[in-house]
Amino acid sequence: MDKAVRARLRALVCGTRRGRRDAGMVTSEYAMGIVATVGFAVLLYEVLTSDAVMALLQDIVRRALSAQM
């Protein structure tokens, strides 16, 4: 096999590459991901605890519990 092909195969198997500039997320990317996740969680919480959604969920549970078998 050619040396270049062997080097590429080794890099694929080992997960390394010569001169690789980006080895993963940096701290700022983690921070932005956490901020986005928390923002989405707050938005989801606000929607699920709104009066309209609460009434809808209570109606679904009420109908499920009163269903005839």
Side-chain angles (χ1 to χ4, degrees):
M1 251 192 252
D2 186 45
K3 287 184 181 182
V5 174
R6 284 186 188 172
R8 286 185 185 183
L9 285 174
R10 191 178 313 114
L12 286 173
V13 172
C14 297
T16 60
R17 192 168 47 168
R18 228 181 233 173
R20 186 172 178 165
R21 297 173 68 197
D22 186 18
M25 288 198 316
V26 295
T27 304
S28 61
E29 290 172 330
Y30 280 117
M32 291 304 295
I34 291 170
V35 168
T37 303
V38 169
F40 181 73
V42 168
L43 179 67
L44 186 62
Y45 176 78
E46 290 295 323
V47 168
L48 290 177
T49 57
S50 68
D51 292 335
V53 175
M54 280 293 229
L56 181 65
L57 291 174
Q58 287 175 350
D59 184 52
I60 291 170
V61 170
R62 190 176 300 115
R63 280 191 283 155
L65 292 177
S66 65
Q68 298 292 327
M69 292 195 180

